[in-house]
Amino acid sequence: MADLMAIMTSPPPTEPVILDVPVPAHVPKHLVRDLRAYQGLVWNDLDDPYLPVDRLRDDDIPPVMWSPFPATWITSGMWVLTRYQDCAKVYQDTEHFVSGGSADFQRLIGETFRCLPLSYDGKEHLAYRRFLNPFFTPKAVGELNGYIRQLCDDMIQPFVANRGGDFAYDFARVFPVKVFLTLMGFPHAMLDKFLAWEDQILHSRDFDIMRVALSEVLAYLRDIMAARQAVPQDDLLSRIVHGDIDGRDLTDEEKMGAVFLLWLGGLDTVASTLGKMFRRLALDHELQARLRANPALIPGAVEEFLRTQPLVSSMRQLRKDLTLHGVDMKAGDWVQALTPAANFDPDAFPSPREFDPERKANRHFTLASGPHLCLGAHLARQELRVALEHWLRQVPSFSLASEADRLVVPGLHATKHMNIAW
Ligand code: HEM
């Protein structure tokens, strides 16, 4: 039997090969696969970096598989579902699937607070969403519109002057984070430190590095929350630390859970999407021309960019046994709804590889679905639309500056550098 840790540190195969590694007794051996190449963890330079996932629809590949690798603080491995309808069930069937707290990285250092609202279900989750939703409605985030547009214009200027530049590093990495820092009330001087901590927590895949970053960021967040507790400001941090639910003050653990999850979700998600979006545009001049000629297509294009370039695949825990496609899954098992596979499922999206800004009923899972639908969805969409509108208006048809700029991860990892030129 192979050593799982040794496999983990070797490059993933391009095929969903069967692995002979230790797994729970109820997991059939032929379903244990190395799926890392499809889970958004591996760099490639393809025109469409998500193309390899089509392999998972071939007749010889089961729709339910077991990935034996640990994820976040979860050490047991998980079922992976690849069909749209099965992924929809994971999001909608709250009778079987519960959150389980897959994003509770803080458990690695013994913290007991839970990410809020993501780690809660049912009535508790609803109460937390009711508290947070008003800060993220289209109207609430619309109040940032003037700032977002001005920031975008200011940040495009150096590119215009130089007829190009490093889009990933100098625009995508910074633009959404500045919006987030402004919304929350974090000092802009923390930008680089925040991004470094987040990179260590989400992308190092090294538990020791994650532990150090977690200790540092949580200490920082506790300090700034205490400062807002003492002297409130006109920002979201203050509204959370002075928040109440049905007349009761939030506890310190709840405040921490809300602020930490926003911190995790608000930093590199939009940055990563922007990088992939502009990479695709740089490789597709026809699409650029179409959107420049008809800006009314931009909202629909944003949905297609989201559908065709998803970042994360949600994980849930089973609270009851469930049989799916003849496979017996047990209560307590983890399940991952593989978004890149579901978003290209031809049963849900006709001609799924076609980029169609006029696609009807574009119910992709990039921002999740069901009760945990992304809280920051309106903000994310607004930033993506503004970036598209302003760039396409101010800049002529652009390309990647070199072949080296094609490298991308079909997942959350933001491309660090990507030069464009015209
Ligand atoms: C393109 C950008 C974004 C993508 C692709 C994205 C994706 C997601 C996904 C897939 C989930 C569900 C996670 C799960 O089911 O386990 C989620 C939830 C969440 N996201 Fe986002 N997100 C984005 C931007 C943001 C931003 C900008 C914020 C905050 C400012 C944010 C805050 C949250 C929060 C708080 C939740 C938890 C919602 C709940 O549990 O009810 N996200 N996001």
Side-chain angles (χ1 to χ4, degrees):
M1 195 165 287
D3 173 16
L4 190 61
M5 285 335 239
I7 299 175
M8 262 185 87
T9 50
S10 60
T14 50
E15 271 288 288
V17 292
I18 296 176
L19 294 174
D20 182 18
V21 293
V23 288
H26 65 285
V27 176
K29 298 282 181 210
H30 72 285
L31 298 181
V32 183
R33 306 285 178 132
D34 192 331
L35 297 170
R36 287 174 292 160
Y38 310 97
Q39 287 170 313
L41 305 171
V42 186
W43 298 82
N44 74 47
D45 63 359
L46 301 170
D47 273 6
D48 179 351
Y50 292 81
L51 202 56
V53 94
D54 280 359
R55 170 75 179 102
L56 300 183
R57 294 200 63 79
D58 289 346
D59 289 345
D60 61 326
I61 305 296
V64 180
M65 289 173 277
W66 177 269
S67 165
F69 303 105
T72 69
W73 55 269
I74 302 157
T75 52
S76 65
M78 67 192 85
W79 298 107
V80 177
L81 312 184
T82 61
R83 300 295 191 262
Y84 184 92
Q85 282 312 331
D86 297 333
C87 294
K89 185 175 175 62
V90 171
Y91 286 118
Q92 310 288 348
D93 176 359
T94 51
E95 173 92 20
H96 282 95
F97 294 95
V98 290
S99 155
S102 60
D104 286 343
F105 295 91
Q106 65 277 13
R107 288 198 189 190
L108 278 173
I109 52 168
E111 292 275 356
T112 51
F113 73 85
R114 293 157 71 189
C115 281
L116 175 165
L118 189 55
S119 300
Y120 292 84
D121 296 286
K123 281 190 186 144
E124 278 180 304
H125 174 260
L126 195 64
Y128 292 136
R129 276 299 289 238
R130 280 208 189 108
F131 167 63
L132 289 167
N133 280 344
F135 307 122
F136 289 92
T137 58
K139 186 167 179 291
V141 297
E143 280 167 23
L144 285 168
N145 198 29
Y147 168 73
I148 294 176
R149 288 187 184 277
Q150 186 60 52
L151 176 67
C152 190
D153 278 346
D154 292 348
M155 292 185 67
I156 294 173
Q157 284 323 302
F159 288 85
V160 172
N162 297 319
R163 299 178 60 80
D166 189 340
F167 179 86
Y169 195 79
D170 291 327
F171 186 84
R173 185 183 71 100
V174 181
F175 167 66
V177 180
K178 283 198 166 173
V179 175
F180 176 72
L181 298 177
T182 303
L183 168 77
M184 293 294 287
F186 286 121
H188 281 221
M190 288 305 289
L191 188 138
D192 285 316
K193 193 74 211 157
F194 275 7
L195 290 176
W197 280 332
E198 194 180 50
D199 191 52
Q200 288 153 3
I201 295 169
L202 292 181
H203 306 304
S204 70
R205 312 200 84 213
D206 177 324
F207 287 153
D208 290 332
I209 293 175
M210 288 163 81
R211 282 190 191 97
V212 175
L214 280 162
S215 304
E216 290 177 359
V217 69
L218 294 181
Y220 175 83
L221 294 179
R222 286 201 166 97
D223 278 353
I224 194 164
M225 286 162 68
R228 291 300 195 280
Q229 189 79 52
V231 185
Q233 313 265 322
D234 183 17
D235 58 31
L236 188 47
L237 265 179
S238 302
R239 285 180 198 109
I240 292 173
V241 296
H242 290 276
D244 71 274
I245 291 184
D246 301 330
R248 139 184 107 71
D249 288 348
L250 291 184
T251 64
D252 286 348
E253 295 233 317
E254 288 170 331
K255 292 173 195 174
M256 194 62 207
V259 171
F260 180 57
L261 182 63
L262 285 172
W263 183 87
L264 263 185
L267 288 182
D268 73 354
T269 43
V270 181
S272 179
T273 306
L274 277 170
K276 293 183 209 340
M277 192 160 109
F278 276 68
R279 177 188 185 274
R280 178 167 199 140
L281 285 169
L283 293 171
D284 188 343
H285 293 149
E286 237 172 75
L287 178 59
Q288 282 190 50
R290 191 172 168 206
L291 298 180
R292 268 195 194 88
N294 190 355
L297 291 178
I298 285 179
V302 164
E303 288 317 305
E304 276 296 78
F305 282 118
L306 285 168
R307 179 182 72 84
T308 57
Q309 311 190 132
L311 305 183
V312 287
S313 296
S314 297
M315 287 186 275
R316 296 287 184 269
Q317 207 167 11
L318 273 169
R319 67 168 152 200
K320 288 179 181 174
D321 292 357
L322 177 71
T323 302
L324 200 62
H325 299 283
V327 178
D328 294 326
M329 309 185 208
K330 298 275 179 224
D333 285 355
W334 283 91
V335 181
Q336 182 175 51
L338 198 67
T339 309
N343 280 4
F344 291 103
D345 187 335
D347 293 339
F349 303 99
S351 310
R353 291 279 157 198
E354 195 183 310
F355 186 98
D356 177 7
E358 295 176 277
R359 190 179 285 279
K360 301 279 171 289
N362 196 347
R363 294 195 191 89
H364 58 77
F365 293 139
T366 302
L367 296 159
S369 173
H372 293 279
L373 184 75
C374 175
L375 178 69
H378 298 303
L379 179 62
R381 287 186 169 111
Q382 186 178 349
E383 290 172 5
L384 296 171
R385 277 181 209 145
V386 167
L388 264 185
E389 275 175 35
H390 286 231
W391 272 89
L392 292 177
R393 203 186 300 142
Q394 293 177 38
V395 156
S397 204
F398 57 88
S399 310
L400 293 179
S402 80
E403 279 301 295
D405 293 304
R406 293 174 72 96
L407 264 185
V408 71
V409 173
L412 178 59
H413 212 314
T415 309
K416 281 235 163 48
H417 297 282
M418 189 188 76
N419 287 282
I420 55 171
W422 54 90

